[in-house]
Amino acid sequence: MICSNFSKGLLAMAISGLVSTTAVSEDYTTGTLRGTVQDQSGSPVANAEVLITSDKGVRRTTITDSEGSLRIPQLPVGQYKISISQDGYNALTAENVAIQIGKAAAYTFTMESLDNTIEEVYVTGVKQGSWDFNSTTTGITVDVGEIFARTPIARDATSVALLAPGTSSGDSAFSTGVYGGSGNVASFAGSSVGENVYYVNGMNITNFRNFVGGSTIPFELFDQIEVKTGGYQAEFGRSTGGVLNAVTKSGSNDFHFGANMFYEPESFYETSPATYTSANQHDERSKADYNIWASGAIIEDKLFFFGLYNPRDIRSFDCFTGSCEEETQTDPFYAVKLDYVPLEGHRFEYTLFSDDQTRNVKTWRFTDAGNDRIGSASLLGSAPLTELQGERLVDSKYVNGGENQIFKYTAALADWVTISALYGENQYSRENFSDSEPPLLRDRRSSTPGINGSTFDIGSWSVGLLERGEDERKNYRFDADFYFDAMGEHHIRVGMDKEDLSSSTEAHYSGNLRARLEYNDAYTSGMRWRTRQYYNEGAFNTIQTAFYLQDSWQVLDNLILNLGIRNETFDNRNIEGDTYVEIKNQLAPRLGFSWDPFRDGNTRVFGSYGHYYLPIASNTNMRLAGRETYFQEYFEAVDADGDGEPDYDANGFPVFGAVEPRLYFADGTMPFGDATHDADLDPFYQSEYILGFEHTFFDEWTFGMRYIHRNLEGLIEDVAIDAAVIEWANENGYGDDPALETYSGFHQYVLINPGKDVRVALVEDFGNDGIIDWADLSAEQLGYPEGERTYDAIDLTLERIWDGQWYLSANYTWSKSEGNYEGAVKSENGQDDAGLTQDFDQPGLTDGAFGPLPNDRRHRLKVRGAYAINDQLSIGTNLNVEAPRKMGCVGEHPSDYFAWAYGAASWYCGGELTPRGSQIETDWNSTVDLSLMWSPELGDILGNGDLTLRMDVFNIFNSDAVIDRREFGDVGFSTDLPFGGTDLPEPDLDYGKPTRYQTPRHVRLSATYNF
């Protein structure tokens, strides 16, 4: 008989995406079947007819060559039936052959001659399945349904990414809804969270405004997710971190429908300890997430559909410094996937999904026995919250998301050539607004110096900076794959990728005024208002193009070389639509090898080398190439009745007295393009080296070890060039020129590669009668060091495949990430202005900046597993252990005036150097999650459907490790320290205190029905 069950070898390959730590890729959305047909003696069976079919309308045929080899590329992910026939042999049929995203899996098919009588035929999978473009890529490929069925994880792709070796949660300041996640964005191999790229069904959905996160996708929509942590091939770019590449579910000939509910009740949610900024004892939160889906064939074997509707009810209540917020979110998500197969080898796909969402926020101000701020969480105590709530502030709304459409065509034109084309539109709206716009006022007076919370809010405003923006990406891709034999087997892919990006923005302070009340002289006498006004409005475009060539060359039967090159161009344009900075010919080599030394498919040695480039974010266009207006003024605070408090008008605006001269940070004029960047600007890019080893033993276990080295070769940041221009002017005879007076230290910010000489146009005229001057500024004049970031890691992995009863996956990473630059974003102050962070704004800000970076975790241990107690009951667990984050002390610079003017922004505290990572650290963080799943036998009770009841307990031991601390050690300005004085700033009494604990224990209850 022909047995449709798999041997252990085939089973290993069929579900290797669940536990594999090496992703092996074909393209963004499909996989490939590779194989060898042999007879019982091991001799190849040539000219055998091979038919592969699926219930999703796929029907592809091929004929084995003289070596018995077969290849069928560009197969949609899913389960397949394979039929093989040849004269003189019994026909062979294999069911449930799995094709996974990006995987080129190889199988050995053994046929019996008609002269033999056999009981069963086994189809055996061999480890040559990693032999294609991604044979040197590190990461994991996950069948989302399989991993979720056995592992207690949050229902978002970020949580899936965190299963991979070398990934860790980013700073909580960068929480986002990426891919449906409500937690932090992941850091890949030491890079910042603003350097990843996200794909769904072949389209890039990354947030191109600041690179943090991307569009939200309901978890139920995912079919498979590929997590690439390094070594990825030339078709992937615009990332110096990692790649999350997802494929959504599709319909088939069989009709299916289902529904589920996931509920996280407030009564099952513990609270974290209180901090000096958050009264966590008053936290409340609950979440109900529902999904209804259906799929099937509109025309059998031709046209298929999958539809999903995802209503949600998310509620939370949190108390912070000076206020409490109640937030609700109830907007549903929805998605539709259509697949059309007009003829064999051709497929049209259409994907539509919407992630429009509005968060409604109600805010109250604390009164608490006359105190208008928390100052210390103990002030709130455990009193009923209703006794602590004071003034109700204006309600606010936060709108995010949009509609997304993807059109894709794939065709197998012949056995040796396939093509694919994609067009997609990715839309993302962002808006925050209030019911009214009172002025943004704060009181900085305090009789208790050294308390960070001494600045408290005045008035009824709730949103400080009101913003409205639209982002739209138009994505074009074309790929062609060629397969031929010449001096070895070659798989060559050529392709192009173009993205037209458009962004608009409108931004201003609430009430068009941000004002801070303070004493005239330190903490002693007189009152004044420091006011700031900010306006920015306009539309901007960026065009990003790439061309790539990749050759997967099987030199020997046990050696494959991956040889690739990618050429990228980033064209950023100003508010008038003209190019203001363009970086061309960014050549990214991608080279790798994979070697099977024993030719048995059980051992693999692999390595790779590559360059990876990061674009300039569209947020940079808005800040540097628009008509941004930003200025500061000081006014006397009017106190007509002499009660020691300032006067306000009927609309809540301060009454101003005498005014000091206005200081402009940006004057509303569009900068001259050449004045915004170095004329010879080099790209932001990173080099990477990987060397690894894997061995499979007992057919079920795989051990892996790899070394990874990453080095940031070049970065792009904005810097102030004023000090260098002053020196240049003096050296070139312009020392008495009136134009020099505008270079006060903060006048001209320019995109440069720190540590290099710069040629830049100046925004003032030095003796040239209206002609803009060019200045050649040396690295010594500028005073900025080279940007540095290195990552070194050793990953150890151990996998035991699921055999129907249990599985185990464990990985340990030792790593070191250090330098003077975290990356595109800055965790210490939560700044997500990609490429415009504070790090290199002034030379003094780089003093003491070298050290362990925010995403450095020296030790990480991840263990997950599952055990089936019987056919109905199973348990799963997930363990994560992470070493502390090392922190420094951020305060005022004692000797550099320009850095000192930034306030607490330098690696000095109390006038002493306190380098990054040298002072304090967070706690060791360990979390154990547990799941219990019950699938009762229903018979005909619910129409032969499947019901699963489940309980997940996260952080079952309710560990409360500190995962973030206040890193700022100075508060207030010293009066004359940079000029040789001794008036040190007040120490911040909150320095080193916890600001965030790990998520406390909570429970998720769920019920899922599938038919």
Side-chain angles (χ1 to χ4, degrees):
M1 104 184 142
I2 304 298
C3 180
S4 62
N5 296 323
F6 292 90
S7 69
K8 288 183 178 180
L10 180 56
L11 183 62
M13 294 307 300
I15 68 166
S16 61
L18 178 61
V19 294
S20 173
T21 58
T22 301
V24 284
S25 184
E26 270 302 286
D27 77 351
Y28 286 77
T29 63
T30 63
T32 288
L33 172 69
R34 294 165 58 93
T36 300
V37 180
Q38 63 182 24
D39 62 20
Q40 194 173 20
S41 67
S43 300
V45 176
N47 298 316
E49 296 181 359
V50 181
L51 170 65
I52 181 170
T53 59
S54 81
D55 60 3
K56 296 182 178 181
V58 177
R59 179 183 174 87
R60 300 274 293 279
T61 59
T62 191
I63 296 175
T64 59
D65 62 15
S66 59
E67 301 296 324
S69 298
L70 65 95
R71 180 199 303 109
I72 304 179
Q74 298 283 6
L75 292 171
V77 300
Q79 302 290 322
Y80 286 84
K81 176 181 178 180
I82 299 175
S83 300
I84 304 175
S85 60
Q86 174 60 299
D87 292 342
Y89 294 88
N90 289 306
L92 184 151
T93 300
E95 306 274 359
N96 300 321
V97 175
I99 298 296
Q100 292 188 311
I101 177 176
K103 191 169 289 293
Y107 302 100
T108 300
F109 302 94
T110 301
M111 303 188 73
E112 293 291 336
S113 67
L114 292 175
D115 297 333
N116 293 333
T117 301
I118 59 171
E119 293 297 322
E120 56 185 10
V121 172
Y122 287 106
V123 181
T124 305
V126 297
K127 298 302 179 291
Q128 292 177 348
S130 62
W131 287 49
D132 216 314
F133 286 152
N134 228 4
S135 58
T136 54
T137 296
T138 58
I140 58 175
T141 301
V142 170
D143 182 304
V144 176
E146 292 288 338
I147 196 73
F148 185 71
R150 299 187 176 96
T151 308
I153 60 172
R155 301 177 63 253
D156 58 78
T158 298
S159 298
V160 174
L162 292 175
L163 299 176
T167 59
S168 61
S169 294
D171 193 280
S172 59
F174 305 117
S175 294
T176 181
V178 58
Y179 264 181
S182 57
N184 294 338
V185 193
S187 165
F188 286 69
S191 298
S192 76
V193 300
E195 299 172 53
N196 304 325
V197 66
Y198 307 89
Y199 293 91
V200 61
N201 289 349
M203 184 176 74
N204 188 354
I205 60 168
T206 310
N207 170 8
F208 59 83
R209 185 169 292 221
N210 61 15
F211 303 146
V212 179
S215 299
T216 303
I217 297 178
F219 193 70
E220 238 64 34
L221 187 59
F222 290 120
D223 189 342
Q224 296 181 14
I225 296 176
E226 191 180 19
V227 181
K228 298 174 181 286
T229 59
Y232 37 94
Q233 61 270 37
E235 64 186 301
F236 290 93
R238 305 185 184 112
S239 165
T240 47
V243 177
L244 267 74
N245 181 33
V247 171
T248 65
K249 294 175 180 176
S250 299
S252 66
N253 279 329
D254 297 326
F255 178 74
H256 296 278
F257 72 85
N260 60 28
M261 179 192 74
F262 295 88
Y263 180 46
E264 298 177 28
E266 157 61 25
S267 56
F268 289 177
Y269 210 111
E270 302 292 337
T271 57
S272 294
T275 73
Y276 74 96
T277 58
S278 300
N280 293 325
Q281 67 270 31
H282 294 293
D283 285 355
E284 295 180 6
R285 58 200 68 248
S286 66
K287 180 178 181 181
D289 194 359
Y290 310 89
N291 292 274
I292 304 170
W293 64 88
S295 67
I298 300 174
I299 302 175
E300 188 173 0
D301 291 332
K302 293 290 185 182
L303 182 60
F304 310 90
F305 77 94
F306 177 88
L308 172 71
Y309 183 66
N310 174 211
R312 300 165 304 140
D313 188 351
I314 303 172
R315 301 178 183 274
S316 64
F317 191 94
D318 296 279
C319 293
F320 309 102
T321 302
S323 64
C324 284
E325 293 183 353
E326 178 186 357
E327 180 179 316
T328 58
Q329 185 177 334
T330 58
D331 291 334
F333 294 158
Y334 60 85
V336 174
K337 175 77 187 302
L338 299 177
D339 293 82
Y340 176 52
V341 184
L343 64 159
E344 182 177 323
H346 295 256
R347 192 177 197 88
F348 292 91
E349 301 175 52
Y350 171 70
T351 308
L352 167 69
F353 70 91
S354 172
D355 63 345
D356 242 345
Q357 54 188 308
T358 299
R359 296 185 292 121
N360 299 282
V361 179
K362 298 178 181 178
T363 309
W364 289 265
R365 186 87 72 217
F366 282 126
T367 55
D368 189 20
N371 291 293
D372 292 323
R373 59 181 178 83
I374 296 181
S376 169
S378 62
L379 289 176
L380 289 173
S382 58
L385 192 60
T386 53
E387 297 179 11
L388 304 174
Q389 290 175 189
E391 177 187 9
R392 169 74 177 276
L393 306 185
V394 294
D395 291 347
S396 54
K397 296 181 184 294
Y398 298 81
V399 179
N400 298 94
E403 194 169 82
N404 301 268
Q405 298 186 78
I406 308 168
F407 303 83
K408 186 180 181 186
Y409 168 65
T410 306
L413 303 181
D415 287 345
W416 60 274
V417 58
T418 64
I419 62 171
S420 66
L422 178 144
Y423 170 73
E425 293 182 357
N426 168 223
Q427 297 177 342
Y428 198 91
S429 300
R430 57 191 78 234
E431 182 178 5
N432 53 26
F433 58 93
S434 300
D435 292 345
S436 62
E437 295 188 22
L440 193 171
L441 306 178
R442 288 195 167 107
D443 190 341
R444 197 175 184 229
R445 299 171 300 165
S446 172
S447 59
T448 312
I451 296 293
N452 170 65
S454 60
T455 298
F456 57 93
D457 299 338
I458 305 171
S460 61
W461 64 273
S462 59
V463 179
L465 184 65
L466 303 171
E467 298 180 278
R468 176 183 292 111
E470 299 283 342
D471 292 339
E472 182 180 43
R473 169 190 281 110
K474 293 184 178 180
N475 193 178
Y476 309 84
R477 288 188 57 85
F478 179 81
D479 298 278
D481 291 76
F482 303 91
Y483 306 84
F484 63 91
D485 298 327
M487 298 179 63
E489 182 179 315
H490 291 263
H491 173 188
I492 295 177
R493 171 171 297 141
V494 295
M496 63 81 61
D497 173 11
K498 179 181 179 182
E499 295 187 1
D500 289 341
L501 312 176
S502 60
S503 295
S504 65
T505 185
E506 299 176 35
H508 63 273
Y509 290 128
S510 183
N512 293 320
L513 179 68
R514 176 183 176 185
R516 187 177 75 186
L517 181 66
E518 58 189 34
Y519 288 118
N520 286 332
D521 181 18
Y523 299 96
T524 56
S525 62
M527 292 183 297
R528 66 178 182 178
W529 288 99
R530 190 201 72 178
T531 69
R532 288 182 175 177
Q533 295 187 47
Y534 178 83
Y535 309 94
N536 198 1
E537 182 176 354
F540 305 84
N541 294 96
T542 299
I543 297 177
Q544 300 177 353
T545 56
F547 299 89
Y548 41 88
L549 169 67
Q550 186 88 29
D551 181 11
S552 178
W553 177 19
Q554 189 165 334
V555 183
L556 304 171
D557 62 351
N558 68 333
L559 175 64
I560 190 169
L561 298 180
N562 282 329
L563 310 174
I565 189 74
R566 180 181 177 92
N567 188 351
E568 295 184 290
T569 296
F570 305 142
D571 179 1
N572 290 65
R573 301 184 176 186
N574 62 24
I575 196 171
E576 294 182 352
D578 300 322
T579 297
Y580 78 94
V581 60
E582 183 177 22
I583 305 180
K584 300 179 179 179
N585 299 323
Q586 299 173 96
L587 296 178
R590 308 287 173 85
L591 310 175
F593 74 93
S594 185
W595 176 46
D596 179 357
F598 305 114
R599 288 184 166 86
D600 61 359
N602 290 323
T603 304
R604 186 170 71 98
V605 179
F606 62 94
S608 69
Y609 166 75
H611 282 181
Y612 303 86
Y613 292 86
L614 192 71
I616 296 175
S618 67
N619 178 69
T620 304
N621 304 359
M622 301 173 194
R623 298 293 310 279
L624 285 187
R627 296 190 176 93
E628 185 179 63
T629 300
Y630 189 23
F631 60 86
Q632 174 178 295
E633 295 174 292
Y634 283 94
F635 293 89
E636 177 189 351
V638 174
D639 178 15
D641 57 9
D643 64 353
E645 295 297 325
D647 295 342
Y648 302 89
D649 66 17
N651 296 315
F653 284 78
V655 178
F656 294 139
V659 61
E660 297 180 13
R662 177 177 293 181
L663 171 63
Y664 275 97
F665 304 113
D667 62 6
T669 61
M670 185 187 73
F672 178 63
D674 289 331
T676 63
H677 63 90
D678 176 14
D680 300 314
L681 188 67
D682 289 332
F684 186 121
Y685 78 104
Q686 178 171 263
S687 63
E688 178 189 75
Y689 304 81
I690 297 175
L691 182 63
F693 162 84
E694 280 188 353
H695 178 68
T696 299
F697 52 97
F698 302 138
D699 291 331
E700 297 171 336
W701 292 86
T702 299
F703 171 76
M705 178 173 60
R706 57 182 162 267
Y707 168 70
I708 302 172
H709 173 75
R710 285 181 164 189
N711 184 56
L712 190 62
E713 304 285 356
L715 67 92
I716 298 175
E717 264 290 346
D718 72 319
V719 307
I721 64 170
D722 292 28
V725 171
I726 293 171
E727 183 176 343
W728 169 87
N730 287 324
E731 291 176 355
N732 288 274
Y734 299 134
D736 297 326
D737 198 303
L740 195 60
E741 296 179 3
T742 61
Y743 283 85
S744 58
F746 318 100
H747 176 60
Q748 188 172 352
Y749 286 81
V750 176
L751 293 176
I752 74 167
N753 308 116
K756 282 185 50 182
D757 296 344
V758 169
R759 178 170 173 78
V760 64
L762 304 181
V763 296
E764 298 294 337
D765 304 326
F766 289 94
N768 280 328
D769 298 325
I771 300 174
I772 293 178
D773 300 280
W774 285 87
D776 292 296
L777 308 176
S778 69
E780 290 73 23
Q781 287 174 320
L782 290 162
Y784 295 101
E786 291 186 7
E788 297 180 78
R789 185 183 73 190
T790 59
Y791 175 82
D792 291 276
I794 296 175
D795 291 332
L796 304 177
T797 61
L798 181 65
E799 312 279 356
R800 199 269 189 189
I801 65 170
W802 174 259
D803 62 355
Q805 183 159 19
W806 70 285
Y807 91 94
L808 177 70
S809 173
N811 64 76
Y812 165 76
T813 299
W814 174 91
S815 64
K816 181 172 68 173
S817 179
E818 61 182 8
N820 60 9
Y821 185 68
E822 177 183 355
V825 298
K826 182 175 173 63
S827 293
E828 285 90 359
N829 62 357
Q831 190 176 9
D832 61 3
D833 285 333
L836 298 176
T837 67
Q838 185 178 270
D839 276 333
F840 283 85
D841 278 7
Q842 299 290 345
L845 298 178
T846 66
D847 294 341
F850 188 92
L853 294 168
N855 296 301
D856 175 70
R857 303 291 186 274
R858 293 298 163 91
H859 307 278
R860 280 169 289 190
L861 175 65
K862 305 176 184 181
V863 181
R864 65 184 188 274
Y867 179 74
I869 299 172
N870 53 45
D871 291 341
Q872 301 179 30
L873 194 63
S874 63
I875 58 174
T877 188
N878 192 11
L879 164 69
N880 286 276
V881 179
E882 197 168 64
R885 167 182 169 182
K886 298 181 182 297
M887 311 176 83
C889 186
V890 181
E892 293 183 23
H893 201 293
S895 57
D896 183 316
Y897 170 77
F898 297 144
W900 169 83
Y902 273 66
S906 300
W907 296 103
Y908 285 86
C909 285
E912 299 294 329
L913 189 66
T914 50
R916 172 181 265 140
S918 67
Q919 303 297 304
I920 56 176
E921 63 182 32
T922 61
D923 295 342
W924 279 84
N925 176 10
S926 62
T927 304
V928 179
D929 305 327
L930 189 66
S931 62
L932 178 65
M933 291 152 282
W934 179 43
S935 300
E937 293 184 0
L938 300 176
D940 295 329
I941 298 175
L942 294 176
N944 292 321
D946 297 321
L947 175 67
T948 300
L949 303 177
R950 175 170 176 163
M951 179 175 70
D952 296 275
V953 184
F954 299 96
N955 190 7
I956 192 168
F957 298 115
N958 199 31
S959 302
D960 58 356
V962 175
I963 61 173
D964 203 359
R965 297 183 184 275
R966 180 165 176 80
E967 203 167 359
F968 295 87
D970 288 346
V971 64
F973 277 102
S974 56
T975 56
D976 59 358
L977 191 61
F979 305 100
T982 58
D983 181 17
L984 294 175
E986 293 287 344
D988 190 328
L989 301 183
D990 291 323
Y991 171 69
K993 290 182 179 179
T995 57
R996 186 178 176 89
Y997 294 88
Q998 68 184 101
T999 304
R1001 180 173 56 227
H1002 59 288
V1003 177
R1004 182 180 65 201
L1005 306 173
S1006 65
T1008 300
Y1009 176 72
N1010 280 292
F1011 176 80

